[in-house]
Amino acid sequence: MEEKKFDKNSLIGFLIIGAILIWMLYMNKDEQAKDEVTTEQVANETTNLQDSTTTKQVTPTEINTAAATDSLAVEGLKNRLGSFAYSGTLPSATDAVTTVENDVLILKVSNKGGYVVEAMLKEHTTFTGEQVYLIKDGNNDFNLQFTAENRLLNTRDLYFEPSLTKSGENNVLTMRLKSGTDSFIEYRYALIPGEYMLDFSIKSQGLEGIMDTSSPIYLDWNLKGYRHAKSISYENRYSRLTYEHDDEDFSKLDPTGEDAEVEKDVNWMNFRQHFFSSMLLTDTPFKEVAFSSLDYVIDEEVDTVFTKKYGAKILLEPKGGSLAENMNMYYGPTDYQIFNDYDRNLDEALPLGWGIFGMINKYVVIPLFGFLSGFLPAGIAIIMLTVLIKLALSPVQYKQYLSQAKMKVLKPEIDEIKKKHEGNSMKIQQETMKLQNVAGASPLKGCLPAILQIPVFYALFTFFPTAFDLRQKSFLWAEDLSSYDTIAELPFTIPFYGDHVSLFPILASIAIGAYMIMSTGQSMQAQQQPGMPNMKFLMYLSPLFMLVFFNNYASGLSLYYLTSNLITIGIMLVIKNYIIDEDKIHAQIQVKKKTPKKQNRFQKKMSDMMEQAEEQKKTQKKKK
């Protein structure tokens, strides 16, 4: 019976993959290193930007206590608001809202502040079956702060006059904060049919002698992200503030704890809430923006409503003594296809991986999966995607097995070399390299194919958690492929594992374990060789890792790993039993050994160095 030995190449491959998995799970940081900026530093920089002149800030209480029918109150309102007291005496000076909508989005805009107080997506629901609201019940604050007649005013405290009209097929809502019949600050919202992106602009008219454009004018946007998914911690992991600045430079704030940053020339910002995004884009880059992010999920059992609080304090630049800012707002899915259609680099807001990993996702995985899911159920589309990828990589896998087969055939001769030159490690290494060179085999050739598969492996690892097409798509017992599947609820929480049992990670772990046993070809001995690690422990480490840490990951990702390992096992069996003939390989090697093979420059240099080292060793022995 053939004695089965441990395959060192497989061990190297497993260790590399395990290290990459740990890196992907625990080092989910920015792809580009950057200096840390604390919230206090940002606050200091923001303060330095503000005008040092003394202004009188007007509070909401002072405005609301002034009754338009009371002449003394009106006079007091004028003292506090100056020319903008006019808006406080209009019929629109109430907290009423105006609704503007298209076929995918409903927005409600309040007279007070003139900003969106409710944004609902018509075609999407949360994990509880309720409509998805990105803005609701005061989680959004959108404020223009400016100086007028030595008064520091905030539009969130002032009343706008609404006007709802049609412009072609677009529904247009104009909100005006008036200081007179022909002098005002205007917010204009234009909803396009079928679009989550809307036109938004801010302009001022007739305020040249009222608004102080020499003092800083800030647009301050703050938003608390609502929970929409079954696992708030998993959703929170992929919720992040991202933005483009300095001409196609993309950055992100830290997704954990509290982070802040001040950036120049910002083109857009995305308050990403995993599968949904609230965005502000501008035609002309914002001169300076102070970003902030605060993580709300400390304890999943307690923190169940919000994931993060995002903030952006934007410095606006008046042109010709007045405001004229043309922008866009986006309230909708974090969907690569939708983002890519706008041709504004919005796809960079998705965590698809950097460099070659992102390219594989953008140009291979996403188009292929989009095609398959167009006519197949999501679960079947994942299986077919995995099959096609594994078939495409099968030549690489064949090279790996061929190299392993050559090393196996050479083993008896390598053992003879070790026996012949016992105690002389340098000579053993030198003769072994010569033999491998002649046979065209080496451990490196067996390891390289596994390394070549890593970019695809990592690309798919980043694709499945961000694939919007998987959201709320069921397969077998999994109700939602974008979240974990559940076959049992636990009455307690296990650290790192959770309070439930997911079946797909269990099946994937079994498949990985079976593959490792087959690929290592071991019948574990009770006694380990001296200096060798505990191979049984290493063999079970990867399946255990999958079982524990993927229990809370998207079931679509676990389905991919299950399918991938089953296909790998199948390909391995076909190659070993029907393609690779070890006797034929042995015969070919013997023929090659009789035909001297010319060494390349690197091999020649290595051989010369080893011979020199051997000569030096002999010389030292003679001297002794």
Side-chain angles (χ1 to χ4, degrees), residues 190-208:
L191 268 69
I192 304 166
E195 295 283 346
Y196 295 100
M197 183 85 74
L198 57 139
D199 295 334
F200 174 70
S201 62
I202 300 176
K203 75 173 186 178
S204 63
Q205 178 177 306
L207 300 177
E208 289 77 7

Side-chain angles (χ1 to χ4, degrees), residues 291-310:
F291 293 107
S292 64
S293 176
L294 176 63
D295 187 1
Y296 275 176
V297 182
I298 308 301
D299 184 347
E300 185 174 356
E301 299 298 320
V302 178
D303 306 316
T304 60
V305 179
F306 299 107
T307 55
K308 286 186 173 70
K309 180 181 179 181
Y310 299 121

Side-chain angles (χ1 to χ4, degrees), residues 363-420:
Y363 302 115
V364 179
V365 178
I366 291 176
L368 183 57
F369 184 77
F371 169 74
L372 294 172
S373 61
F375 61 91
L376 293 174
I380 302 298
I382 291 176
I383 294 173
M384 290 305 302
L385 173 71
T386 312
V387 170
L388 293 174
I389 289 175
K390 295 303 290 185
L391 288 176
L393 293 174
S394 58
V396 177
Q397 196 168 2
Y398 169 75
K399 290 286 186 182
Q400 183 179 359
Y401 289 136
L402 179 61
S403 179
Q404 291 174 357
K406 288 182 178 180
M407 294 299 296
K408 182 179 178 181
V409 169
L410 290 175
K411 189 178 186 309
E413 297 184 52
I414 293 174
D415 289 341
E416 284 295 324
I417 293 173
K418 291 179 180 178
K419 185 177 179 180
K420 181 179 179 181

